Amino acid sequence: MAVNSKTHLIHDRNARGQSKTGWLDSRHTFSFGGFYDPNRMGFRSLRVINDDRVVPGAGFPTHGHKDMEILTYVLEGAVEHKDSLGNGSIILPGEAQIMSAGTGITHSEYNPSETEPVHFLQIWILPNKQGLQPRYEQKSFPIEEKRGKLRLIGAKDGRDGAVTIYQDVDLYTSILEAGDVINYHVQPNRYAWLQLAQGVATLNGEELRAGDGVQISGEEQLEISTDVGAEILLFDLG
């Protein structure tokens, strides 16, 4: 990690934890499983960002969660989801899927393809209260709504067609092409996290590559640009 200003801190992609098996290659931005770093215990309500790659025909067998908002964001390929609420779906790039674990839920996630790997982010956010009723929500967002601009895909009030997150979080995503520039103002008494999902971009002149995350504490004007293309997630956090 390197301090770049009074208000933001880069979490370097190469300092992430890693879990690697025959079917899974997972990189952990924050402490997770066998990876523990006291400086990487999450940020505000953001607790997990796992960058997962799963080989064809494999995946996570049925397992349980409680009291967590769990989002799946697919970058390439597809994820097949099944849960104890009776939901069964395929999650594709361009979609936002959230599961509130609440009082308890079990689910599985598999790569349904027999030939293509899947690359996705699994994001855990601490809910605003415990003991919530488990639920599932999934929505699709056309690429035109994200190209060169921020598109809200998750929010506590579910506004603008976003999925609902039971926490004071606004989650935006954008797909940038060479030459694109995005500006965002982090309001006073708010925080933010920028995750580089794919490609290469600069934040206020500092180069970021896929897997890098930036912790932003306090009011700041953000300028995000790219010379080659990038896909980003921006969390505005209470």
Side-chain angles (χ1 to χ4, degrees), residues 140-209:
S140 179
F141 300 90
I143 191 171
E144 294 77 19
E145 297 181 5
K146 297 182 288 185
R147 186 177 284 128
K149 55 190 174 185
L150 292 170
R151 174 57 162 108
L152 185 72
I153 65 168
K156 63 180 179 181
D157 56 3
R159 68 186 186 280
D160 297 335
V163 298
T164 299
I165 303 173
Y166 289 154
Q167 182 53 271
D168 184 9
V169 175
D170 287 337
L171 170 56
Y172 299 89
T173 187
S174 181
I175 295 174
L176 304 175
E177 298 175 349
D180 285 343
V181 179
I182 288 176
N183 289 282
Y184 188 82
H185 182 221
V186 182
Q187 298 294 329
N189 302 313
R190 299 289 296 181
Y191 302 81
W193 181 277
L194 177 67
Q195 186 72 24
L196 257 290
Q198 299 193 97
V200 182
T202 60
L203 171 63
N204 296 349
E206 184 82 20
E207 184 179 274
L208 303 170
R209 291 178 176 268

Side-chain angles (χ1 to χ4, degrees), residues 7-237:
T7 58
H8 72 260
L9 181 70
I10 292 179
H11 289 245
D12 187 271
R13 63 197 177 278
N14 295 319
R16 293 179 296 174
Q18 183 178 18
S19 299
K20 194 165 187 179
T21 68
W23 60 271
L24 171 68
D25 185 351
S26 180
R27 309 299 170 102
H28 314 307
T29 293
F30 301 122
S31 294
F32 184 88
F35 170 61
Y36 175 76
D37 182 337
N39 295 314
R40 288 175 172 255
M41 296 305 296
F43 180 61
R44 306 298 292 177
S45 60
L46 188 56
R47 180 59 189 85
V48 166
I49 302 177
N50 286 348
D51 189 337
D52 293 341
R53 297 175 187 268
V54 176
V55 302
F60 299 92
T62 301
H63 59 283
H65 297 280
K66 286 184 69 176
D67 293 320
M68 194 67 70
E69 299 288 281
I70 300 173
L71 294 103
T72 299
Y73 187 82
V74 178
L75 298 168
E76 297 173 286
V79 171
E80 181 178 6
H81 167 96
K82 293 181 180 178
D83 64 44
S84 53
L85 299 178
N87 297 299
S89 65
I90 302 293
I91 309 161
L92 300 171
E95 298 183 336
Q97 179 252 43
I98 187 166
M99 186 178 71
S100 292
T103 54
I105 195 169
T106 60
H107 75 136
S108 63
E109 296 165 296
Y110 277 90
N111 179 357
S113 174
E114 293 299 326
T115 57
E116 299 297 325
V118 61
H119 181 200
F120 65 100
L121 300 179
Q122 185 167 105
I123 299 154
W124 294 10
I125 295 172
L126 297 166
N128 52 22
K129 60 182 178 182
Q130 295 188 337
L132 294 166
Q133 185 71 23
R135 68 178 181 108
Y136 180 87
E137 188 178 3
Q138 181 177 339
K139 292 186 177 179
S140 179
F141 300 90
I143 191 171
E144 294 77 19
E145 297 181 5
K146 297 182 288 185
R147 186 177 284 128
K149 55 190 174 185
L150 292 170
R151 174 57 162 108
L152 185 72
I153 65 168
K156 63 180 179 181
D157 56 3
R159 68 186 186 280
D160 297 335
V163 298
T164 299
I165 303 173
Y166 289 154
Q167 182 53 271
D168 184 9
V169 175
D170 287 337
L171 170 56
Y172 299 89
T173 187
S174 181
I175 295 174
L176 304 175
E177 298 175 349
D180 285 343
V181 179
I182 288 176
N183 289 282
Y184 188 82
H185 182 221
V186 182
Q187 298 294 329
N189 302 313
R190 299 289 296 181
Y191 302 81
W193 181 277
L194 177 67
Q195 186 72 24
L196 257 290
Q198 299 193 97
V200 182
T202 60
L203 171 63
N204 296 349
E206 184 82 20
E207 184 179 274
L208 303 170
R209 291 178 176 268
D212 285 339
V214 186
Q215 172 181 318
I216 300 155
S217 301
E219 183 177 9
E220 186 170 353
Q221 186 67 35
L222 308 180
E223 182 181 275
I224 305 160
S225 61
T226 182
D227 292 329
V228 297
E231 184 166 2
I232 63 169
L233 281 77
L234 177 64
F235 300 80
D236 188 313
L237 305 157

